[in-house]
Amino acid sequence: MTDATAPAPQANPRGRIRSTTVICVRRDGHVVMAADGQVTLGDHVLKHSAKKIRRLYQDKILAGFAGSTADAFSLFKRFETKLEQFGGNLRRAAVELASDWRTDKMLRNLEALLIVADAGETFLISGSGDVIDPDEAIAAIGSGGSYATAAARALLENTKLSAREVAEKSMKIAGEICIYTNDRVTVEELYTEPKTELPKELQA
């Protein structure tokens, strides 16, 4: 129990610089990650056109963040190192980053969430050591993530829109509801490489 007579903790008047929202959508071999551009400091908007998504490891992997901007950049750098170490193996790099994030004293204080994807898999990575492989073709993080997820789920189930169209429309809806999400959306895309048929004479 807390002491009722104790003074209430004082919030940091400068607040934290934060960024939201990111969504990843998969459909028909097409992977799209979209993010808004708003960065806030407390209740003030500092930037409208921040880029919260990066292409990593020879442009084969997409990574987006929500949370503290400075902390996210530190995690991006660490994640890039893991990708290089494990030859672009997304699953292994994600697990190793989450392990370091949970156990390293410096990393443990970082406040951000990452969403990472390649042509085949998507993962959510948190500072508690969690690496989540979503069951569905949608994953989202940030304050507007639940709104974007709900919109994307409805669009995937009830329309034939492309992955990019679903992501963009979902971000628009989230931006209309969440005060920490705006309508300046950045989009990055990956495509699954099509399988090539061997000539009949070369087939076993």
Side-chain angles (χ1 to χ4, degrees), residues 67-80:
S68 168
T69 305
D71 289 354
F73 287 149
S74 296
L75 290 168
F76 272 154
K77 185 175 181 180
R78 180 66 68 99
F79 185 56
E80 279 189 287

Side-chain angles (χ1 to χ4, degrees), residues 13-18 39-47 180:
R14 296 193 304 170
R16 295 279 285 177
I17 298 176
R18 298 189 176 278
V39 176
T40 59
L41 176 58
D43 57 0
H44 293 78
V45 177
L46 291 185
K47 190 174 178 67
Y180 296 108

Side-chain angles (χ1 to χ4, degrees), residues 12 26 30 60 64 69 99 109 124-125 132 136 139 142 154 158 172 177 192 199:
N12 181 349
R26 293 177 176 273
H30 189 193
K60 295 178 180 179
T69 305
S99 177
N109 295 322
L124 302 178
I125 311 174
I132 301 169
E136 54 187 353
N158 297 285
K172 183 177 185 297
I177 300 171
T192 303

Side-chain angles (χ1 to χ4, degrees), residues 126-163:
S126 76
S128 60
D130 294 323
V131 178
I132 301 169
D133 180 3
D135 290 332
E136 54 187 353
I138 311 161
I141 55 176
S143 61
S146 58
Y147 308 122
T149 297
R153 184 177 295 163
L155 290 168
L156 285 176
E157 291 179 357
N158 297 285
T159 75
K160 294 183 179 181
L161 295 174
S162 68

